[in-house]
Amino acid sequence: MKPVPKEVMPHGGNSVRILWQDEHESIYTNVYLRESCQCAECIHEWTGEKLIPPGKISPDVRPISVTSVGNYAVSIHFSDGHQTGVYSFDLLRKICPCSLCQAA
Ligand SMILES: [Zn+2]
Ligand SMILES: [Zn+2]
């Protein structure tokens, strides 16, 4: 079954919480989400190399808006002006930082 979020909401000021349809809960810090952006500005198209220099992302970065893209992804507009990132549900579930997912 494909992972589909039931709710995406800000969590405690510096994080975003996703509640999935299978009742799994993921909590991502804003910085972690911003750094996980897969757009051409953040990840090299061919090599997959991260193009964000370490320390570049402000620790205060936060999502200003989250918009659904089709029914497979969300696009996130960040407070640092970055808005080209599209986060597929597959990616979001894959990068879930919880101990269960990290152990898998
Ligand atoms: Zn990006
Ligand atoms: Zn998880």
Side-chain angles (χ1 to χ4, degrees):
M1 197 181 78
K2 285 240 158 215
V4 178
K6 200 153 75 171
E7 285 173 9
V8 182
M9 60 178 67
H11 179 78
N14 68 346
S15 308
V16 173
R17 173 176 174 268
I18 295 182
L19 182 64
W20 299 88
Q21 271 175 1
D22 62 1
E23 302 299 324
H24 192 77
E25 183 187 62
S26 305
I27 294 171
Y28 313 90
T29 66
N30 295 338
V31 172
Y32 178 64
L33 266 188
R34 175 66 183 80
E35 282 178 343
S36 304
C37 180
Q38 306 285 305
C39 84
E41 275 176 51
C42 298
I43 295 275
H44 194 285
E45 227 180 311
W46 297 327
T47 63
E49 183 194 344
K50 283 204 177 210
L51 302 176
I52 307 175
K56 164 92 195 306
I57 306 292
S58 156
D60 306 328
V61 76
R62 62 191 167 80
I64 294 177
S65 65
V66 179
T67 320
S68 51
V69 179
N71 45 19
Y72 70 95
V74 291
S75 118
I76 304 179
H77 183 172
F78 285 94
S79 58
D80 62 357
H82 197 69
Q83 54 177 321
T84 41
V86 171
Y87 295 74
S88 70
F89 300 156
D90 285 349
L91 171 79
L92 287 168
R93 186 61 179 249
K94 199 172 78 189
I95 65 170
C96 174
C98 85
S99 47
L100 264 177
C101 294
Q102 288 306 308

